[in-house]
């Protein structure tokens, strides 16, 4: 069974990619998959969810906390690590790496490395390290290291907290204060810094448990930006020497527990408590949590080991960044893998990640959507700033909901000058995406609380925004949505983007339905919402009924992406690429090569076909897939999964398969765009991770749920014998197994009611505790 991701040998060229690939996290902290000896050049990062900072006029971005896993080793005085092989100020040659392996155990979310070095006197020294970001204790990272040698020698361990960390627009911690707090079990070291903008303290504590005894030499080293301790050990050949680091990270934003308000004390207490519990116990409670997570989410693919691992890995990446404890944070476009994209939350969350959580961990889905409720004021401010009413959600949202996206988001590679981009001003579909996400949550779970706790206000305010943004064309007697950028960012400021218009129409419908619900359940809140409102429900209804939505051409079945799209140059992607003068040049914007052509960055019309499956017949879907795919650059990691989904929907899973694999392996291979202009955009890709899940479950297994009935229309790729997975639909839990010619649905005994299902040409209900087998051979 494929649960382990592994790389053998050390390749300096893979340091950045592996930092993403081998990440660990728990939704509160994300720790990059770097090695213990790495520093800021190797992009070490401990990202704290929801903590942002701005230095001067630079971009606001997440804070990278001091690195509590910093460690250096010396053998008989000679430093050794994979990077340098130990070149340094010592006498004689340094130990050199012979063998190296880095791995991730997805089942229990444990990162491991093992490196064997050859010393100057031909001895072998093997270093192993095992670490996890505790799923049970969100502020804790635990790291167990061991060393074993083939000869006697002196091992010096330098371990501590390094505050000189990787920053894109930092440094974010103004001043650093070291501390050491002694008790009978030894020192707890701390490093505390304060953010620039809001003076939020960030504190990291390190407790070490080594059992080496008092005879070993110890020394404390305080520096300007680091605090470390050294331990000197006389090692005997063949004996394993192990020690454990308990690293805690707290910030001024943490308001829990007795130590609330003083993160340094909280961090010390946490590391001390962890040291008292010990490695095995902490690992056990962590692993138990992960067992439960996988029970609720794991997908088993029979017949395709590569897809199996890639799918599990994609889910792993989502789990380690899932905000399961807070509704004040959501998932940034690069997860917790660094400061790229300003740590901002995009539409990626609602459209690409939410489905996974809705079907498996609805409580996380609720948190994700509550984040939009908490950031409504930021969206109102943005609408007002542009002269509109209602809520215009941030294209790049941080903790307040104010837009972190700048008007000049990309630099021109040729001149180095900032280019005017319209992501912030014109990707208005974001407000419809948010409304859609909130409604999806309600439909899926039947839980009205999100709507009653502010969700209804959000969708109403989004509808009001569109009412004020829309244009009534008096000649055509219809509303239109002009001057927007759709999902395809290479064509900015277009009119009547098919995707946007349809999403806006849906948003208006959702707002009306949500208002009805609010009126029934909470009349006073309903009154409060509408009293003094500048837009009335009748106006929203009128706009809904007469909003123009581009339809398929009667003959070709094609849907024009936006007004005038067909008038653009119809060049092939290869031709367009041959015109590029620089591999990183931006293809959109004023002078972009794609701007004047039909080449699109990512799924746009095809995304609409996926979201509005019922509105289009298979011939239309096929015609548009075939037209738009060759014209799509897939320049965004959000693109391939959508082509996979629609290909599966139209019954050609083998067209879908390569797009699915590209999506599911993106963070394993590290093959994705790393630069736009001179902007580094690497990191993990949670939207693609969510897309991989969607392609497998909603695409290949063909699951759909409309809030009442589940439908299964499988289309397995030829290499898959079967796929099996758990899902939550409303209050019920189910297992679904799709084989090539049959499917099995099992309902948990505790489910509150039967589930209506349509599959294999039949309609039936699955009662609690029942298992139903259905043949899917078409007659
Ligand atoms: C894509 C957007 C996406 C953003 C963050 C861009 O490259 O075009 O659709 O929201 O990346 O993932």
């Amino acid at each position: 069974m494929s649960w382990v991701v592994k790389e053998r040998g050390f390749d300096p060229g893979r340091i950045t990619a592996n930092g993403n690939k081998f990440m660990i996290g728990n939704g509160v902290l994300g720790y990059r998959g770097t090695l213990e000896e790495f520093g800021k050049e190797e992009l070490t990062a401990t990202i704290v969810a929801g903590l942002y900072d701005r230095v001067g006029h630079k971009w606001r971005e997440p804070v990278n906390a001091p690195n509590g896993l910093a460690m250096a080793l010396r053998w008989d005085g000679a430093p050794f690590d994979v990077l340098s092989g130990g070149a340094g100020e010592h006498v004689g040659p340094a130990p050199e790496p012979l063998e190296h392996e880095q791995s991730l155990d997805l089942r229990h979310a444990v990162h491991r490395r093992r490196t064997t070095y050859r010393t100057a006197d031909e001895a072998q020294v093997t270093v192993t390290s095992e670490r996890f970001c505790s799923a049970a204790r969100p502020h804790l990272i635990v790291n167990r290291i061991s060393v074993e040698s083939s000869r006697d020698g002196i091992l010096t361990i330098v371990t501590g907290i390094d505050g000189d960390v990787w920053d894109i627009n930092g440094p974010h911690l103004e001043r650093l204060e070291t501390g050491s707090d002694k008790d009978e079990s030894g020192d707890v070291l701390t490093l505390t810094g304060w953010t620039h903008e809001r003076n939020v303290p960030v504190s990291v504590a390190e407790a070490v448990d080594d059992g080496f005894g008092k005879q070993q030499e110890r020394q404390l080293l305080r520096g300007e930006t680091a605090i470390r301790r050294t331990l000197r050990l006389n090692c005997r050949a063949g004996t394993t020497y192990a020690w454990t680091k308990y690293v805690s990270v707290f910030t001024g934003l943490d308001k829990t527990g007795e130590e609330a308000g003083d993160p340094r004390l909280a961090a010390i207490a946490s590391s001390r408590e962890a040291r008292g519990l010990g490695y095995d116990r902490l690992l056990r409670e962590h692993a138990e949590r992960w067992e439960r997570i996988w029970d609720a989410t794991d997908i088993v693919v029979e017949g395709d080991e590569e897809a199996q691992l890639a799918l599990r890995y994609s889910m792993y990446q989502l789990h380690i960044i899932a905000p399961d404890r807070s509704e004040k944070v959501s998932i940034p476009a690069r997860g917790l893998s660094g400061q790229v994209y300003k740590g901002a939350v995009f539409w990626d969350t609602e459209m690409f990640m939410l489905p996974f959580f809705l079907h498996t961990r609805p409580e996380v889905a609720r948190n994700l959507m509550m984040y939009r409720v908490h950031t409504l004021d930021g969206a109102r401010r943005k609408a007002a700033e542009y002269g509109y009413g209602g809520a215009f959600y941030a294209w790049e949202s941080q903790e307040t909901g104010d837009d972190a996206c700048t008007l000049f988001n990309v630099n021109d590679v040729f001149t180095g000058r900032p280019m005017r981009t319209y992501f912030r001003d014109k990707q208005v579909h974001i407000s419809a995406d948010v409304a859609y996400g909130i409604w999806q949550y309600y439909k899926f779970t039947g839980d009205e609380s999100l709507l009653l706790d502010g969700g209804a206000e959000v969708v109403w305010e989004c509808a009001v925004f569109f009412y004020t943004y829309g244009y009534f064309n008096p000649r055509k007697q219809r509303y239109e949505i002009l001057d927007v950028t759709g999902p395809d960012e290479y064509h900015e400021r277009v009119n009547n983007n098919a995707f946007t218009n349809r999403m806006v129409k849906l948003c208006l419908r959702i707002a009306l339905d949500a208002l009805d619900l609010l009126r029934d359940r909470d009349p006073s809140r309903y009154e409060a919402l509408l009293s003094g409102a500048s837009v009335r429900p009748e106006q929203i209804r009128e706009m809904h009924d007469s909003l123009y939505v581009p339809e398929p051409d009667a003959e070709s079945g094609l849907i024009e992406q936006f007004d005038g799209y067909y008038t653009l140059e119809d060049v092939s992607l290869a031709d367009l690429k041959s015109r590029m003068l620089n591999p990183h040049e931006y293809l959109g914007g004023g002078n972009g090569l794609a701007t004047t052509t039909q080449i699109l960055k990512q799924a746009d019309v095809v995304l609409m076909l996926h979201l509005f499956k019922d509105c289009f017949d298979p011939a239309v879907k096929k015609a548009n897939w075939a037209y738009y795919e060759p014209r799509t650059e897939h320049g965004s990691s959000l693109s391939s999964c959508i082509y996979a989904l629609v290909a599966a929907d139209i019954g050609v899973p083998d067209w879908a398969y390569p797009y699915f694999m590209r999506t599911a392996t993106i963070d394993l291979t590290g093959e994705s765009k790393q630069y736009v202009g001179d902007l580094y955009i690497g990191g993990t890709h949670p939207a693609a991770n969510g897309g991989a899940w969607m392609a497998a479950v909603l695409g290949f297994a063909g699951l759909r749920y409309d809030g009442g009935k589940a439908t299964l229309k499988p289309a397995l790729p030829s290499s898959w014998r079967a796929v099996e997975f758990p899902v939550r639909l409303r209050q019920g839990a189910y297992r679904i197994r799709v084989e090539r010619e049959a499917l099995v649905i099992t309902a948990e005994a505790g489910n509150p009611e039967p589930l209506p299902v349509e599959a294999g040409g039949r309609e039936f209900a699955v009662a609690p505790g029942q298992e139903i087998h259905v043949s899917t051979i078409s007659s």
Side-chain angles (χ1 to χ4, degrees), residues 333-334 341 346-348 395 489 601-602 636 638:
R334 290 289 179 266
Y341 276 151
F346 292 62
W347 70 314
D348 304 30
W395 183 244
E489 294 183 339
K601 180 177 180 188
Q602 65 202 87
S636 156
L638 279 54

Side-chain angles (χ1 to χ4, degrees), residues 31 35-39 44 67-74 79-83 113 115 117 127-131 143-147 155-162 206 208 227-231 241 243-245:
Y31 192 85
L35 302 176
E36 288 74 15
E37 57 268 50
F38 287 0
T44 48
N67 179 17
L69 300 193
M71 189 187 76
L73 298 174
R74 293 201 283 268
F80 62 108
D81 57 62
V82 289
L83 286 173
R113 68 87 63 97
T115 313
Y117 300 85
V127 180
T128 66
S129 154
E130 184 172 285
R131 67 176 174 237
N143 185 193
R144 184 163 181 76
I145 304 112
S146 72
V147 172
L155 175 71
T156 310
I157 304 160
V158 185
T159 172
I161 312 166
D162 182 6
E206 185 219 40
V208 175
I227 181 160
R228 298 187 168 93
R229 61 184 112 206
T230 59
L231 313 173
Y241 296 86
W243 63 99
T244 306
K245 290 170 61 125

Side-chain angles (χ1 to χ4, degrees), residues 109-147:
V110 178
H111 172 275
R112 296 193 174 88
R113 68 87 63 97
R114 181 185 174 86
T115 313
T116 299
Y117 300 85
R118 184 174 42 219
T119 67
D121 58 352
E122 294 293 316
Q124 290 200 358
V125 182
T126 298
V127 180
T128 66
S129 154
E130 184 172 285
R131 67 176 174 237
F132 59 91
C133 208
S134 172
R137 294 161 200 267
H139 299 279
L140 184 71
I141 308 175
V142 191
N143 185 193
R144 184 163 181 76
I145 304 112
S146 72
V147 172

